[in-house]
């Protein structure tokens, strides 16, 4: 992972499993086991950052368990509880047409069909019904449902803009 390379959050270490240093893992990938295809990982925690490669995992009931190189006992594993799992964006496959990685949408300018800038995408939020763009400018924050052809008319990476059918006063 080079300096300045865009990183994507793919999961989190949520606990320890057993006494041999295995860790419980929460994956944000779909399907969840895909997380092991994208390596190396950058583990970020309050203690700092650690780059790891060669992570091996398995499904364990409703959860997942991972073995990390150089982690051979429970004490070493405990120190990684809560760490986020990040990977270089370049390690992920290209998005299919009409699909988007949330991280690729962040920082894009959001503009109404009339050309009014609403700000930039701060981040995305998953809801039960649909994903939502969180758009911020210097004055306010707007939540715009990420529904293609209903509110989101066009995502244009070349211009760095997302065109939306949205009332600027809402």
């Amino acid at each position: 992972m080079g300096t300045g390379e865009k990183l994507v959050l793919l999961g989190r270490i949520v606990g320890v499993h057993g006494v041999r240093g295995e860790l419980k893992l929460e994956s944000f990938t779909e399907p969840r086991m895909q997380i092991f295809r994208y390596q190396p990982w950058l583990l970020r925690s309050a203690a700092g950052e650690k780059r790891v490669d060669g992570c091996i995992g398995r499904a364990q009931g409703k959860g997942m368990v991972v073995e990390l190189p150089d982690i051979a006992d429970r004490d070493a594993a405990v120190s990684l509880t809560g760490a986020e799992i990040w990977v270089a964006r370049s390690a992920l496959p290209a998005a299919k047409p009409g699909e988007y990685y949330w991280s690729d949408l962040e920082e894009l300018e959001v503009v109404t069909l009339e050309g009014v800038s609403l700000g930039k995408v701060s981040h995305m939020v998953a809801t039960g019904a649909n994903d939502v763009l969180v758009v911020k400018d210097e004055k306010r924050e707007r939540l715009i449902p990420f529904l293609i052809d209903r509110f989101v008319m066009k995502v244009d990476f070349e211009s760095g803009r997302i065109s939306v059918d949205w009332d600027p006063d809402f």
Side-chain angles (χ1 to χ4, degrees):
M1 286 174 256
T3 304
E5 186 169 11
K6 189 169 194 167
L7 299 175
V8 179
L9 178 64
L10 289 190
R12 181 174 295 117
I13 305 292
V14 295
V16 294
H17 178 79
V19 295
R20 296 180 322 173
E22 294 179 318
L23 294 151
K24 294 178 186 176
L25 170 70
E26 177 184 13
S27 173
F28 305 145
T29 63
E30 188 59 47
R32 65 185 178 154
M33 292 300 287
Q34 285 291 97
I35 194 168
F36 298 106
R37 293 189 61 191
Y38 313 123
Q39 295 190 40
W41 291 354
L42 181 65
L43 299 180
R44 286 185 173 167
S45 67
E49 295 183 349
K50 175 183 174 109
R51 186 180 185 272
V52 294
D53 204 354
C55 305
I56 301 167
R58 67 183 186 279
Q60 181 78 29
K62 292 184 180 181
M64 298 171 63
V65 173
V66 62
E67 292 178 46
L68 301 180
D70 303 326
I71 303 293
D73 62 48
R74 187 175 181 89
D75 291 338
V78 167
S79 69
L80 292 172
T81 300
E84 295 176 330
I85 300 167
W86 294 80
V87 298
R89 170 61 181 90
S90 60
L92 302 175
K96 296 176 185 163
E99 293 183 358
Y100 305 94
Y101 286 107
W102 285 8
S103 63
D104 292 345
L105 300 174
E106 292 171 358
E107 296 302 314
L108 293 182
E109 182 182 18
V110 178
V111 180
T112 68
L113 296 176
E114 294 76 29
V116 176
S117 177
L118 302 178
K120 292 188 175 189
V121 177
S122 166
H123 59 283
M124 299 280 294
V125 176
T127 68
N130 51 265
D131 297 333
V132 175
L133 292 167
V134 179
V135 180
K136 293 182 180 182
D137 63 14
E138 55 280 339
K139 297 177 187 169
R140 62 187 286 194
E141 177 180 280
R142 292 178 178 87
L143 304 177
I144 302 174
F146 193 76
L147 296 172
I148 303 291
D149 296 332
R150 182 156 178 212
F151 300 116
V152 176
M153 298 296 119
K154 183 178 183 182
V155 176
D156 186 349
F157 291 110
E158 263 185 46
S159 69
R161 288 183 161 187
I162 299 174
S163 298
V164 296
D165 186 1
W166 197 257
D167 183 344
D169 294 325
F170 189 70

